[in-house]
Amino acid sequence: MAQRDPRVQLLLTGNEIMSGDTVDSNSALIARRLAEIAITVYRKVTVGDDNALLQAELAQMAANADIVIINGGLGPTVDDLTAQVLATVAGVPLSEHPQALAHLEQWCATRNLPLNAANRKQALLPEGARVIANPVGSAVGFELALGGCRVLCTPGVPGELDAMLDGIVADLGHSLARPAGRRILRLQTFGLGESSAQQLISDALPQWPPQVELGFRAGAPQMEIKLSIADSDFLPLQQQCHRQLLELFGDHVIGEGDTQLAQRVLELLQQRGKTLTTAESCTGGLIASMLTRVPGSSEAFHAGFVTYANDIKTSVLGVLPGTLARHGAVSEEVVREMALGALQRAGADYAIAVSGIAGPEGGSPGKPVGTVWLAWGEAHALQTRCLCWPVERSLFQTMVAAAGLDLIRRALLGLTTEPRYFSQRRAR
Amino acid sequence: MAQRDPRVQLLLTGNEIMSGDTVDSNSALIARRLAEIAITVYRKVTVGDDNALLQAELAQMAANADIVIINGGLGPTVDDLTAQVLATVAGVPLSEHPQALAHLEQWCATRNLPLNAANRKQALLPEGARVIANPVGSAVGFELALGGCRVLCTPGVPGELDAMLDGIVADLGHSLARPAGRRILRLQTFGLGESSAQQLISDALPQWPPQVELGFRAGAPQMEIKLSIADSDFLPLQQQCHRQLLELFGDHVIGEGDTQLAQRVLELLQQRGKTLTTAESCTGGLIASMLTRVPGSSEAFHAGFVTYANDIKTSVLGVLPGTLARHGAVSEEVVREMALGALQRAGADYAIAVSGIAGPEGGSPGKPVGTVWLAWGEAHALQTRCLCWPVERSLFQTMVAAAGLDLIRRALLGLTTEPRYFSQRRAR
């Protein structure tokens, strides 16, 4: 059981990462996925697409690590050097790997593409390498031993890396025969900030057990809270902390694992046999898009309306010209009429309507950039609210769209308590 | 003039970066800022907040670089080790630096905060260090020489780093007396893959000049091609390569710099005083959302329709029930009627309509997952096409939405040549 922890290093390659044109999020993803099987990355090195530099780093790393994961450089272009570098350091030739070639051929066939020479380069692997399946991309990953060190080569395209890591994590978890790994429990929340969540926990739960490590990952729009323990002996403690957090954060918790707001809303709608429609001005289709990203969303979402201009609010949703003239497009009366119009047009049970000022232009002293009116719910029980998110346009749209979905979630669950963002994002 | 390029390395410290809880964007910022003065970072190493690891990395780096920039570890807590590590490697003691202390005192006074012991720790610098001003935070940066290497220590808080880099870039630019920097020219393309672009260039331009470095960044949906040269002497060569690429890739080039498809489409619409509307089934609002992300989009985009269900296609866009019954929702006839209905409802000049099978469910032998019909253009000159993108749901939506925008771009430009994806993504 008291097996030594494997020493794991990452080698990242890519001129676009060195130049800062791309922010590397892959190494964070790798670290998080390895943490699931209690493996810690203790060092990472990044260099550009340079043969000599890559060879020197790899040779040094392999001499000091049990596992090296290389990320990037698997593509078809001349600046993709990983296979060649690994072959050189290992002192073996490159040769066309039948399994990699078969994968490429199938990949091209499915897409009706010719297998050209540049693509075919991706089947050239160091002799003796084991193929690691790439479920979504053209270039397979591969593994080769350098002395006592396992070198795993993975693609730089984030979606491909993500898909490949499932296999790698399963394989490493199995082959390293780790003692029962780190148990991680994740909660998805909306409407909580990192520092306020931390403060709430410190204040309310001063006796937090040290065995249950607490982590926060603030994304836009959701924040993830992670409860992590090193040993399964502490599972009851983890469960207890989980219950305490649910009590503390209440209905700001959307769900466990990777639950996304749109997914949760669709699930609740389907359970109740209800449908939802959207009437969007400032979010411009983003709420509809978040919903329809979810497979199977067509069951509960049939229609959405992007009514950006005033005359469209009238012609498509039946908002009265007089209402627009008297109150302006960003007003309680207009979002109410938008929601009712959308409900009628779509024949839906629930609606969410938003109208606001996304900026950077269009603000006024009375209605500054960031102001937004929302209306949501069923026709006979429509609720409205004015909030203010004075942030950059795209983040404003993301947060407002998520708030709309969150308010529908709350309505579907029959929650009556106010979310924290009602007071924190109150329009002045 | 032919001064040797300074060798610059970055040393990043922080447990939250190693664990993947935080994605490091600081190193990208540093690289981009240094590129302004033609300085290239060629290697970066990241380790956790560990005294021994940091000392070993720093000693090795300083022996192989002219400039080392350390980022992180300047804060008030016990895991902030940078000053101590640098002092140890330099063999000097830590001592309270009057200038750093004065900065701290003023920082606290402005904020009406007491100067506590934890904060005061931030005035302890390696003896002989030069202070680098921190215009926004409590901890100053500092510089010390290790042999022939300049070591610059910077804060991990992104806003503080950003503010401090102004001074650092000005100082390095001045003290290194650099010649004019690397000239970078970027082209944004849609409808080209990395491998086909590489293949086309290798085939058509075998005499590519080695002074003009070529880079590709495949994103979804666009691909960027970067032409980079080290010396302004080669600007004419770069221009020549640029012209050759435009000739080679023709109308697959959307624009230069950071140009996004939606932005380009809106620009073309505005130049012509025209408006666009969207009728989306399988993309579910994504096209509208891409358009409305762009500030000022309301000028040319007034209305969008998400008609996910068949009866909504009829009630909202006037698609005839008979057309749906005879041809199915994913058909040329239906997207044509969707486009015409949207044009009429929105009173717009141009429309894009899409109906397809995003999957993972809903495919059939005749219309497999990935099949999509598009209709686009003006009412009197509507074009239609069936394509097939058999990829994961969310990527399918992204690529189809972008194709829709690209087809409008082509229509607005009056282009008559077919894009490559018409043949490569042809539905069978």
Side-chain angles (χ1 to χ4, degrees):
Chain A
M1 167 122 181
Q3 183 186 357
R4 181 173 67 76
D5 281 342
R7 294 164 307 166
V8 180
Q9 297 197 21
L10 301 189
L11 177 55
L12 305 153
T13 165
N15 287 340
E16 71 288 358
I17 306 178
M18 286 316 291
S19 68
D21 287 339
T22 297
V23 167
D24 155 47
S25 58
N26 284 355
S27 60
L29 178 67
I30 295 173
R32 286 200 306 272
R33 294 300 309 272
L34 292 181
E36 293 169 16
I37 47 169
I39 291 180
T40 307
V41 178
Y42 82 97
R43 179 174 184 264
K44 65 183 183 199
V45 176
T46 313
V47 291
D49 300 312
D50 180 295
N51 226 319
L53 279 178
L54 280 166
Q55 285 178 26
E57 294 295 343
L58 178 58
Q60 203 211 338
M61 276 192 165
N64 291 287
D66 301 304
I67 297 170
V68 167
I69 299 180
I70 305 184
N71 185 249
L74 296 194
T77 63
V78 287
D79 54 8
D80 291 305
L81 299 167
T82 298
Q84 192 187 322
V85 165
L86 179 53
T88 308
V89 176
V92 298
L94 282 174
S95 68
E96 199 165 71
H97 196 293
Q99 199 182 337
L101 186 62
H103 171 78
L104 270 169
E105 282 168 347
Q106 213 207 313
W107 191 86
C108 287
T110 315
R111 281 155 190 81
N112 221 356
L113 294 171
L115 178 54
N116 62 26
N119 254 328
R120 194 161 180 138
K121 163 176 175 292
Q122 299 174 105
L124 287 177
L125 307 187
E127 216 166 81
R130 174 183 78 82
V131 162
I132 306 175
N134 184 338
V136 296
S138 60
V140 297
F142 47 93
E143 174 177 352
L144 190 72
L146 282 182
C149 176
R150 293 173 67 175
V151 180
L152 283 72
C153 302
T154 60
V157 180
E160 298 185 20
L161 171 65
D162 198 12
M164 194 177 287
L165 278 171
D166 290 337
I168 290 176
V169 166
D171 171 57
L172 287 180
H174 184 256
S175 62
L176 294 171
R178 304 282 306 152
R182 243 188 138 68
R183 305 302 178 96
I184 290 170
L185 199 150
R186 287 184 294 181
L187 300 179
Q188 298 294 333
T189 69
F190 177 73
L192 289 173
E194 218 175 327
S195 67
S196 60
Q198 172 78 72
Q199 190 71 49
L200 281 170
I201 294 173
S202 312
D203 292 350
L205 306 170
Q207 306 296 321
W208 188 273
Q211 299 91 337
V212 182
E213 196 185 296
L214 193 61
F216 300 92
R217 187 147 60 106
Q222 301 187 185
M223 182 184 70
E224 178 182 293
I225 303 180
K226 194 168 89 173
L227 302 179
S228 154
I229 56 165
D231 191 313
S232 60
D233 289 352
F234 297 117
L235 275 176
L237 261 182
Q238 189 189 38
Q239 280 307 320
Q240 179 199 313
C241 289
H242 180 195
R243 279 191 303 275
Q244 289 176 327
L245 287 187
L246 284 182
E247 222 165 278
L248 189 60
F249 296 133
D251 39 43
H252 293 83
V253 177
I254 305 159
E256 295 183 21
D258 286 325
T259 311
Q260 302 294 301
L261 263 171
Q263 187 189 341
R264 182 75 183 117
V265 166
L266 288 163
E267 202 177 88
L268 290 169
L269 287 165
Q270 279 166 38
Q271 282 166 7
R272 289 157 179 71
K274 300 289 185 186
T275 60
L276 170 67
T277 185
T278 53
E280 306 183 61
S281 188
C282 59
T283 48
L286 183 58
I287 305 180
S289 179
M290 287 166 80
L291 287 163
T292 55
R293 286 264 168 197
V294 182
S297 45
S298 55
E299 258 195 56
F301 181 72
H302 300 171
F305 304 89
V306 184
T307 55
Y308 222 45
N310 280 358
D311 59 326
I312 298 293
K313 291 184 179 71
T314 298
S315 65
V316 172
L317 297 178
V319 175
L320 296 171
T323 310
L324 283 159
R326 267 195 305 281
H327 304 285
V330 180
S331 64
E332 178 167 20
E333 291 77 5
V334 164
V335 286
R336 182 183 286 278
E337 292 185 17
M338 284 171 69
L340 292 172
L343 282 169
Q344 199 184 5
R345 273 237 159 259
D349 302 303
Y350 286 80
I352 166 79
V354 291
S355 181
I357 303 147
E361 308 296 324
S364 67
K367 290 175 186 171
V369 167
T371 306
V372 60
W373 270 100
L374 300 106
W376 70 97
E378 294 171 282
H380 66 273
L382 218 51
Q383 301 179 67
T384 56
R385 195 84 186 193
C386 187
L387 300 173
C388 191
W389 255 285
V391 294
E392 176 271 323
R393 181 182 181 89
S394 156
L395 182 59
F396 167 86
Q397 293 178 320
T398 301
M399 297 310 289
V400 169
L405 290 172
D406 187 54
L407 291 169
I408 291 291
R409 178 184 71 90
R410 290 167 175 275
L412 285 164
L413 288 170
L415 300 175
T416 52
T417 51
E418 290 208 337
R420 290 167 56 90
Y421 53 85
F422 272 13
S423 53
Q424 288 174 350
R425 299 296 181 175
R426 195 173 43 226
R428 271 171 286 189
Chain B
M1 165 118 184
Q3 182 186 359
R4 180 174 66 78
D5 282 342
R7 294 164 306 165
V8 181
Q9 298 197 21
L10 301 189
L11 177 56
L12 304 154
T13 165
N15 287 339
E16 70 289 357
I17 307 178
M18 287 316 292
S19 68
D21 286 338
T22 298
V23 167
D24 155 48
S25 58
N26 284 356
S27 60
L29 178 66
I30 295 173
R32 286 199 306 270
R33 294 302 308 273
L34 292 181
E36 293 169 15
I37 47 170
I39 291 181
T40 307
V41 178
Y42 82 97
R43 179 174 184 263
K44 66 184 182 198
V45 176
T46 313
V47 291
D49 300 313
D50 180 296
N51 225 320
L53 279 178
L54 281 165
Q55 285 179 27
E57 293 295 342
L58 177 58
Q60 203 211 338
M61 277 192 165
N64 291 288
D66 302 305
I67 297 171
V68 167
I69 299 181
I70 305 184
N71 185 248
L74 297 193
T77 64
V78 287
D79 55 7
D80 289 306
L81 300 167
T82 298
Q84 192 187 323
V85 165
L86 178 54
T88 307
V89 175
V92 299
L94 282 174
S95 68
E96 199 165 71
H97 196 293
Q99 199 183 335
L101 186 63
H103 171 78
L104 270 170
E105 282 168 348
Q106 213 207 313
W107 192 86
C108 287
T110 316
R111 281 154 191 80
N112 220 358
L113 293 171
L115 178 53
N116 62 26
N119 256 328
R120 193 162 181 136
K121 162 177 174 293
Q122 299 174 104
L124 286 177
L125 307 187
E127 216 166 82
R130 173 182 78 82
V131 161
I132 306 175
N134 184 339
V136 295
S138 59
V140 298
F142 47 92
E143 172 176 352
L144 190 73
L146 281 181
C149 176
R150 293 173 66 175
V151 179
L152 285 71
C153 302
T154 60
V157 180
E160 298 185 20
L161 171 65
D162 197 14
M164 194 177 286
L165 279 171
D166 290 337
I168 291 176
V169 166
D171 170 57
L172 288 180
H174 184 256
S175 60
L176 295 172
R178 303 283 306 150
R182 224 177 160 75
R183 306 302 178 98
I184 290 169
L185 200 151
R186 285 184 292 186
L187 300 178
Q188 299 294 332
T189 68
F190 176 72
L192 289 174
E194 219 177 323
S195 70
S196 58
Q198 173 77 70
Q199 188 74 48
L200 282 170
I201 294 173
S202 312
D203 292 350
L205 306 169
Q207 306 296 324
W208 189 272
Q211 299 92 336
V212 182
E213 195 185 299
L214 192 61
F216 301 91
R217 186 148 59 108
Q222 301 186 187
M223 184 184 69
E224 179 181 294
I225 303 178
K226 196 166 95 173
L227 302 179
S228 155
I229 56 164
D231 192 314
S232 59
D233 289 353
F234 297 117
L235 275 176
L237 261 182
Q238 188 189 38
Q239 281 305 321
Q240 179 198 313
C241 290
H242 180 195
R243 279 191 304 274
Q244 288 176 329
L245 287 188
L246 285 181
E247 221 166 279
L248 189 59
F249 297 135
D251 41 41
H252 293 83
V253 177
I254 304 159
E256 295 183 20
D258 286 325
T259 310
Q260 302 295 300
L261 262 172
Q263 187 190 340
R264 182 76 183 116
V265 166
L266 288 163
E267 202 178 273
L268 291 169
L269 286 165
Q270 279 165 40
Q271 283 166 7
R272 288 156 178 73
K274 299 290 184 185
T275 60
L276 171 66
T277 185
T278 52
E280 305 184 62
S281 189
C282 59
T283 48
L286 183 58
I287 304 180
S289 179
M290 287 165 80
L291 288 163
T292 55
R293 286 265 170 198
V294 181
S297 44
S298 55
E299 256 194 59
F301 181 72
H302 300 171
F305 305 90
V306 183
T307 55
Y308 222 45
N310 279 358
D311 59 325
I312 299 293
K313 292 185 179 71
T314 297
S315 65
V316 172
L317 297 178
V319 175
L320 295 171
T323 311
L324 284 159
R326 266 195 306 281
H327 303 284
V330 180
S331 65
E332 178 167 21
E333 292 77 4
V334 164
V335 286
R336 182 182 287 277
E337 291 185 18
M338 284 171 68
L340 292 172
L343 283 168
Q344 198 185 5
R345 274 238 158 258
D349 302 303
Y350 286 80
I352 165 78
V354 290
S355 182
I357 302 148
E361 307 297 324
S364 66
K367 291 175 185 170
V369 167
T371 305
V372 59
W373 270 101
L374 299 106
W376 71 96
E378 295 172 283
H380 66 274
L382 218 50
Q383 302 180 66
T384 55
R385 195 84 188 193
C386 187
L387 299 173
C388 190
W389 255 285
V391 294
E392 177 271 324
R393 181 183 182 88
S394 153
L395 181 59
F396 167 86
Q397 292 178 321
T398 302
M399 297 311 290
V400 170
L405 290 171
D406 187 54
L407 292 169
I408 290 292
R409 178 184 71 91
R410 291 169 174 273
L412 284 163
L413 289 169
L415 301 175
T416 53
T417 52
E418 291 208 336
R420 291 169 54 89
Y421 53 86
F422 273 13
S423 54
Q424 289 176 347
R425 301 295 181 176
R426 193 174 46 226
R428 271 172 282 193

